[in-house]
Amino acid sequence: MEREAIVALDKARVWHPYTAMERYIAEGDPIVAASAEGPWITDLDGHRYFDANSAWWTANLGHRHPRLVAALVEQAASLTHVAYGDCVHEQAASLASELCAIAPEGLSRVFFTDDGSTAVEAAVKLCAQLHRQRGAARSRFVALSGAFHGETTGATSLGGIEAFTRPFDAVRFEVVRVPTPAEAASGAGWERAFGEVERAFSQHGGDIAAVVIEPIVQGAAGMLVHPPGYLRAVRDLTRRHGALLVADEVFTGLYRTGARWACDLAGVAPDLMCLSKSLSSGVLPFGAVLASDAVFEGFHGGRDRAFLYGHTYFGNPLGCAVARAALRVYRDEDIPARVARSAPIIAARFAEMARRDDVTAHRAIGMIGALDLGAEGYLSDEGRRVFDAARRRGVCLRPLGDTVYVTPPLNTSEADLRWLLDVVEESLDEALSRR
Ligand SMILES: *Cc1c(COP(=O)(O)O)cnc(C)c1O
């Protein structure tokens, strides 16, 4: 099919995510992807674009990693899906065991889901049911301002980015909202933000089911980074009050921050940990919730105490096979060492770019670099202008409102990474000189 025909069909029938469709239909000029390999997307006319956000933070090993593709093809030749429960299979059993072997201490059970939102949704329900079965139902969840935990209604209730949540206020459950501890947002140390969590517990103590948090990096908020001390303090506080700590590592999990889990940076083990994006590394939708022994044992007993919850594609063998291959690649290609080499390059360049007058803040951790252009937040057009300038240079640099950031594949070569950062700087030059 020709490019124009595809775009016409798309504009006639597809409703895009996160998109003002009327404007897109009138003036949108999308990249029509034909193939992708490593960090590169190739369009129908043969132009290459570096995928600076790794397909929305999923393709941590690059697009179509040959070992992941091989695992998918091999699995598809024998078993694509069975209903889990009456049937079990090697892929799910082995993946669960392999995940527990590398999980933060105490996480010893795996509940599979379809994606990140459903992992968070399952975690919320696990918390609610667990407290009820321990004898005292608890109705409140604590979540951060700027939080993003997905798009199902429960996950949206936890969400703290107004542009995403406001339209659904009528159907969201109430959450105890505490300020983000990220210095870029609060301008203060984390202790003050933690004081607000303490206040929430002294006010609602026995009714708080869990604190749900994106550990260390709040991705969708604009890559806001907070110090490990905050996470440790929240862990201690939740323990003291018999509340659970849910770590949403859908974005941070598997070395994005440099550590295997962002929780590791604080030496913290949560009660529940949500995984998705990097787990199947951009090959297909897949997710999981890891739970501690104590959480699991809270569901022992008869059917009336069981977790009567599940998704149709629970433990999908294709997803499991790809995730197992990904775990092997993270190990065999020594991804942590590669991130350790690349992280200082990203950090140094973002610090340099932050010297510009028009950059109001910046941060970097692991394979994440971000800077703010100080415009009106998520709905601003500023980042979009940088995107257009980068696209002309062969980089797909999707912004988060006025936050320009890179989250490239973790195995990006040093030469490609340096080139990418050059393009980010040139694109800022071009976009900002014209405002
Ligand atoms: C993307 C994301 C989700 C939602 O995952 P989906 O697969 O899009 O449903 C949840 N939590 C965090 C931290 C995320 O970044």
Side-chain angles (χ1 to χ4, degrees), residues 44 97 166 173 188 203 220 222 277 319 321 416 432:
L44 219 54
S97 149
R166 195 186 307 113
F173 62 71
Q203 221 167 349
K277 294 184 169 115
D416 281 349
L432 301 180

Side-chain angles (χ1 to χ4, degrees), residues 18 56-57 114-118 120 148-151 214 217 219-220 248-252 276-277 286:
Y18 308 109
W56 266 340
W57 318 340
D114 298 350
D115 51 31
S117 302
T118 51
V120 170
F148 181 81
H149 297 292
E151 305 293 28
E214 296 161 83
V217 189
D248 179 353
E249 295 238 16
V250 167
F251 166 54
T252 51
S276 178
K277 294 184 169 115
F286 192 65

Side-chain angles (χ1 to χ4, degrees), residues 166-234:
R166 195 186 307 113
F168 315 110
D169 276 350
V171 296
R172 293 166 72 212
F173 62 71
E174 214 179 297
V175 160
V176 180
R177 188 72 56 196
V178 293
T180 173
E183 279 186 33
S186 70
W190 63 263
E191 291 86 351
R192 182 161 357 142
F194 178 67
E196 295 292 319
V197 188
E198 283 181 308
R199 201 144 70 142
F201 271 89
S202 60
Q203 221 167 349
H204 305 293
D207 196 29
I208 293 177
V211 175
V212 184
I213 186 169
E214 296 161 83
I216 307 296
V217 189
Q218 293 181 269
M223 305 296 152
L224 297 182
V225 181
H226 58 255
Y230 176 84
L231 192 58
R232 273 195 294 273
V234 169

Side-chain angles (χ1 to χ4, degrees), residues 31 383-392 395-399:
I31 295 168
R384 218 52 218 175
R385 286 219 298 278
V386 181
F387 172 91
D388 290 337
R391 180 174 165 181
R392 285 191 284 277
V395 170
C396 192
L397 191 66
R398 188 183 173 90

Side-chain angles (χ1 to χ4, degrees), residues 68-84:
L68 305 198
V69 173
L72 177 66
V73 169
E74 191 188 336
Q75 183 57 40
S78 61
L79 179 70
T80 52
H81 193 61
V82 283
Y84 216 85

Side-chain angles (χ1 to χ4, degrees), residues 42-191:
T42 303
D43 76 7
L44 219 54
D45 306 318
H47 302 122
R48 288 206 318 169
Y49 299 92
F50 188 100
D51 187 358
N53 82 1
S54 302
W56 266 340
W57 318 340
T58 60
N60 276 9
L61 299 170
H63 290 271
R64 286 194 319 110
H65 190 289
R67 288 179 63 185
L68 305 198
V69 173
L72 177 66
V73 169
E74 191 188 336
Q75 183 57 40
S78 61
L79 179 70
T80 52
H81 193 61
V82 283
Y84 216 85
D86 300 317
C87 293
V88 303
H89 51 79
E90 179 189 347
Q91 295 300 353
S94 297
L95 174 60
S97 149
E98 288 156 13
L99 278 173
C100 290
I102 59 169
E105 201 184 330
L107 298 180
S108 56
R109 282 281 160 180
V110 180
F111 190 91
F112 291 108
T113 67
D114 298 350
D115 51 31
S117 302
T118 51
V120 170
E121 206 70 30
V124 164
K125 288 196 171 174
L126 282 167
C127 292
Q129 187 174 340
L130 179 70
H131 286 295
R132 192 186 159 92
Q133 290 178 180
R134 281 179 174 173
R138 296 184 176 208
S139 67
R140 293 174 201 269
F141 286 82
V142 175
L144 275 56
S145 57
F148 181 81
H149 297 292
E151 305 293 28
T152 51
T153 306
T156 296
S157 299
L158 297 170
I161 301 173
E162 269 212 354
F164 297 150
T165 59
R166 195 186 307 113
F168 315 110
D169 276 350
V171 296
R172 293 166 72 212
F173 62 71
E174 214 179 297
V175 160
V176 180
R177 188 72 56 196
V178 293
T180 173
E183 279 186 33
S186 70
W190 63 263
E191 291 86 351

